[in-house]
Every structure is written in structure tokens, then in C-alpha cells.
Amino acid sequence: MVKILSAKWILSSPEEKPLKNGCIVIEKDRIVDLGLKEEIISKYKNSEVIDLGNKILFPGLVNAHTHAPMSIFRGIAEDLPLMVWLKNYIFPIEAKLKEEWVYWGTKLSLIEMIKSGITMFCDMYLFEKEVIRAVEETGLKALVGEGIFDFPSPSYGPLERGFELIEELLKNFKNHPHIKIAVSPHTLYTCSPETVKKCIKLSEKYNAKMHIHLCETKEEIEEVKRKYGGRPVKILKELGGINENLIAVHCVKLEEKEIELMAKYKASIVHCPESNLKLGSGIAPLTEMLKVGIKVGLGTDGPASNNDLDMFSEMRTACLIQKGLKEDPTVIKAEDVLKMATFWGAGILGFSDTGKLLPGYKADLAFLDLSHYSLQPDYNPVALLVYSAKNGFVSDLMIDGNWVMRDYKILSIDEKEVIEKVKSIKKEILLLLS
């Protein structure tokens, strides 16, 4: 039995012209057809058409880098440089982190992501089994990685156990339809070259993605140079870590030759503009990355450093800061960042069969409700998505042909229960801080 979905506008891909009054046809978990409404109805005469009406149907967005459980730390330390924020506030409280906090923090973030049209995300944090549990219950897709540090983790304890845990996850989720596992050394200033080398070997052994923060701040670069005698990209290259499996996050401080090196070895980069701005880290050379052919994804970073998980806002910011920085409004287009937030992001995370609403792709999609005042008039659906849409404007969301949200109601999460649990966690955290 096929499902036929209809809407005023269909954005099948940033590379395709928006289709007005069209339909997509879904069989099981995949899109099998696309066309004008009257053509599709005529072709599939005995099938029910679900008409969503005055909406934009678009590919589900991909948040290519976040720390989902950190929603429980939103607002805990503000207006600080990254190193001060991390070392003086976040690391000390994370030393007392509980599994239960991670589970409910993830659930809170999943609510926000679903309402932002996100069907897939990439997570690096602690107690990732709890992140996986929340994701499986909710129905989203994710590339997840337990964060590796040289110092003991509240999750796995000593570093040796961390590597055992990663290998266990890599084996257990090898063929999972929604979950993929990344090897996730935190950074080159919290992981020694020896630790990073072990991560690279695990990545190679299982052909897994290696997800790492890289060249985020001047302080990071100076610390790595002082410890190991070179810039982070140089050290990572010498260790053999710059390759097709690398997902390098931030890359705010990349030099021209480093950008060329990343392109040469087909590494991927994830751009997190709002977090970089908020922490005063700077602005990544996005247009230079795109010029040399690097596949760039878009991420929000964690909800404690952004402070939200709104991918519409992230697309808008990514576009506007480059236009302003280069004093050229043509230097990057809405279609470019939508590509980063859909099928490029999906491909970077290892899900190459999603991110477009075309035959053969998975039915991972969302509907933007045009009844909101800031979405009228609808001359240009792509511009509306990138420059006008906001978190909360998505009415419906589907993953693998299954509804996750219908008419603004999330079907797989009890939102009230999550809010009450997070309120309780807040009280525990405040006691620890007092």
C-alpha cells in the first residue's frame, strides 16, 4: 500500500526547482514517485491522498554536530570564552554526570529538534547508550559517539574502558537502520597523539566515521602547538587522521593550505556558526571551504553553547555572516546552506540514502506551515526555509515513512513528562553547584 502526500510546495532538493501543488508517493520506507498532484492522483487511482494543504514539504534537516544531553546545562554559564566556559564550568559539573540526566536531556533536545524539522543528528557526549535509548524510542536517526578524553570519564571510567565501550558499540550497531557509531576523540588538547592514534585505528578497523573538534579557537591551536610542536591539522595529518572518514567540527581557524589539505584527502567539515559566534571563537572560512570542494555540513553545537537546536536559525546565520564578512550578497546562496543542512549533512554522517525527496531516497521529511505570518507571501519557498522559518513552524515530520509528529503533536514522546523530569534534574544540579 502506498502513501501519497500532497502540499502546496515540494522542495525535493536544493538542486531542483520547487514543485507547486505536487505529490510524493511513498512505499514502505522510500519515495517511489514525485509529480504534479493531478498526474499522481491519476496514476495511483486507488490510493489515499493525504493533503497537507498550505505547507512546504521539504527533506528532513540534518544537525551534523551537537551534544544533545547538554540541554540540561542551558544557561548554566554564559558570555564566556570557550576554554573558560568548558574548563571552569562544564567539565566540573560533567564529572558528576548521571545516566538518567543524559537520557532526559536527550529527550528534551529531541523535542526541540523534531519541532525544527530535524530527522537526523550527530552526537558526541557521555553515556551515549542513554542517547541511543532515547533516539530509538523516538524514531530519529543518528550518528553517535562516546566522547574520548585522556582523563577519566564519569561514563566509562579509565581510558582503556572507553575504547572497549566504543568497540562494543561499533559491533552491536553495525547493521542498525537508524543508528551509526562514530569514534569520537574530543579534541587534540584533551586527547594525546597516542589516544588519537588509537581512535584512528578503530575508525579504520570498522570503517567508522571519526568525529573530532578541530581548530575551534586560537587558544586550542596555541595549546596544541605548545604540547606537540605543531598546529592541530599538522598533528592530525601526521597521525593519519585526515581522510574520508574524518568529520572535523568547527574549523574556525583553518589556514588556506589546511583547507586545501582537507579537500585533497576528502575529509568533511561541520560548520557551527552560532556557537562559534556566541563563544567568541570567530567565523569559519566557509566560502573558501566550499570553493575547493569540501563537503560541509551544518550543526547547532550543543544547546548549552548555542543555546538552541534551531536549524532554520543556523542556516540563516551561516548565510548572513558570510555575506557580511565578504561584503558580497552573492558569495553564498540559500540553496547552498540548505544543501549543507540536508543531503550533504546526511552523507557526511554516513546516511547516503536520505536528504532528498526523490525516488529511491528514504521518506525522511517535514512540513513547514505557511499559515505563520512571517512565511507570507510565498514567492520563494527556499528563501522562506532559510531566511524566514523558525523552530516551531514545522507541523508534521516523517522518518522512514512513519509519522513522528502530526499536526504539531509528537507521537513518540510525552512532552509533559520530559519537562517535569528536567525540572527535577535542574534541582539536583543547583544543589551540586551550591
Side-chain angles (χ1 to χ4, degrees):
M1 186 71 178
V2 299
K3 295 176 187 170
I4 300 176
L5 305 183
S6 173
K8 183 175 182 182
W9 291 102
I10 295 179
L11 298 182
S12 58
S13 160
E15 299 170 333
E16 305 287 333
K17 186 178 177 182
L19 178 65
K20 190 171 185 181
N21 297 323
C23 289
I24 61 167
V25 182
I26 299 165
E27 188 171 359
K28 295 181 181 177
D29 61 349
R30 292 187 185 268
I31 296 161
V32 295
D33 209 347
L34 165 75
L36 291 171
K37 187 174 181 178
E38 58 270 22
E39 293 173 356
I40 294 294
I41 290 173
S42 174
K43 193 172 176 181
Y44 299 87
K45 289 178 181 174
N46 298 321
S47 300
E48 180 191 2
V49 178
I50 303 170
D51 192 344
L52 277 290
N54 190 33
K55 295 177 182 178
I56 299 174
L57 170 54
F58 64 97
L61 301 178
V62 178
N63 186 352
H65 175 74
T66 192
H67 312 284
M70 291 185 77
S71 57
I72 58 170
F73 300 141
R74 186 172 7 226
I76 215 165
E78 295 296 339
D79 305 318
L80 298 166
L82 174 65
M83 292 301 187
V84 175
W85 178 80
L86 201 57
K87 293 180 178 180
N88 294 5
Y89 295 90
I90 299 302
F91 282 167
I93 196 70
E94 283 180 342
K96 300 167 184 177
L97 195 68
K98 299 179 182 180
E99 287 180 70
E100 183 188 20
W101 294 3
V102 169
Y103 174 76
W104 290 109
T106 302
K107 278 287 186 81
L108 181 63
S109 289
L110 290 172
I111 292 169
E112 191 176 350
M113 285 197 274
I114 289 167
K115 294 189 175 189
S116 184
I118 294 167
T119 52
M120 181 189 304
F121 68 103
C122 180
D123 196 68
M124 177 201 289
Y125 203 57
L126 307 165
F127 294 109
E128 282 293 314
K129 284 185 178 180
E130 294 302 304
V131 174
I132 291 169
R133 180 161 74 100
V135 171
E136 287 190 302
E137 289 173 0
T138 310
L140 270 72
K141 297 179 180 180
L143 173 68
V144 304
E146 184 79 22
I148 291 292
F149 307 82
D150 281 343
F151 45 83
S153 163
S155 170
Y156 53 75
L159 183 58
E160 302 77 44
R161 174 65 191 127
F163 284 113
E164 291 171 10
L165 173 61
I166 293 168
E167 194 148 20
E168 176 193 327
L169 291 171
L170 285 164
K171 288 175 181 175
N172 290 347
F173 289 88
K174 187 177 180 181
N175 298 310
H176 196 286
H178 281 195
I179 305 288
K180 294 183 185 291
I181 305 300
V183 183
S184 299
H186 179 250
T187 65
L188 284 160
Y189 62 85
T190 54
C191 297
S192 67
E194 181 184 351
T195 299
V196 175
K197 184 66 177 175
K198 287 181 181 177
C199 289
I200 293 166
K201 285 183 177 177
L202 261 183
S203 169
E204 290 171 347
K205 180 178 178 181
Y206 290 92
N207 192 29
K209 299 291 182 179
M210 191 175 88
H211 180 205
I212 187 170
H213 301 94
L214 190 71
C215 291
E216 185 174 358
T217 65
K218 289 184 289 187
E219 292 79 9
E220 171 198 335
I221 290 166
E222 291 307 311
E223 188 171 341
V224 172
K225 282 167 71 176
R226 186 172 66 252
K227 283 182 174 179
Y228 308 120
R231 287 172 59 87
V233 172
K234 178 178 181 288
I235 302 303
L236 193 58
K237 170 69 171 63
E238 289 171 353
L239 294 170
I242 298 183
N243 52 48
E244 290 185 24
N245 279 329
L246 177 65
I247 302 174
V249 182
H250 299 305
C251 295
V252 174
K253 302 297 179 184
L254 284 191
E255 295 180 340
E256 185 180 350
K257 62 184 178 182
E258 294 171 336
I259 294 171
E260 291 170 357
L261 184 72
M262 299 287 272
K264 179 181 177 183
Y265 288 93
K266 297 182 179 177
S268 300
I269 290 173
V270 178
H271 179 41
C272 303
E274 292 190 347
S275 177
N276 297 156
L277 290 171
K278 184 171 183 286
L279 292 166
S281 304
I283 299 170
L286 175 61
T287 55
E288 288 81 358
M289 296 171 186
L290 296 175
K291 273 180 190 172
V292 296
I294 295 174
K295 289 283 173 68
V296 182
L298 199 62
T300 60
D301 207 358
S305 66
N306 181 301
N307 288 22
D308 62 37
L309 296 159
D310 185 347
M311 281 292 290
F312 296 117
S313 175
E314 212 69 42
M315 286 192 289
R316 176 185 168 92
T317 301
C319 236
L320 297 190
I321 57 175
Q322 294 298 323
K323 293 171 185 287
L325 189 67
K326 302 299 194 304
E327 298 183 10
D328 180 358
T330 69
V331 75
I332 189 166
K333 295 178 171 60
E335 288 82 2
D336 298 325
V337 292
L338 184 56
K339 188 187 301 183
M340 290 163 57
T342 53
F343 68 93
W344 270 14
I348 287 168
L349 304 193
F351 293 83
S352 59
D353 59 354
T354 186
K356 296 182 180 182
L357 303 184
L358 294 172
Y361 283 80
K362 289 290 183 78
D364 299 338
L365 51 90
F367 288 85
L368 187 71
D369 187 351
L370 290 170
S371 68
H372 293 278
Y373 299 119
S374 62
L375 299 180
Q376 288 296 322
D378 58 343
Y379 300 117
N380 186 330
V382 175
L384 287 179
L385 270 181
V386 174
Y387 298 130
S388 305
K390 294 177 176 62
N391 194 358
F393 286 12
V394 172
S395 61
D396 304 84
L397 187 130
M398 176 181 277
I399 298 173
D400 279 357
N402 297 311
W403 292 110
V404 173
M405 181 167 67
R406 283 291 275 135
D407 196 22
Y408 294 98
K409 180 176 172 54
I410 298 176
L411 305 178
S412 52
I413 301 177
D414 183 336
E415 295 181 44
K416 288 183 180 177
E417 180 189 22
V418 173
I419 295 299
E420 289 307 310
K421 293 287 186 181
V422 170
K423 284 179 181 177
S424 176
I425 290 167
K426 177 193 167 187
K427 290 177 184 176
E428 291 184 61
I429 292 170
L430 287 173
L431 282 173
L432 288 173
L433 293 172
S434 60

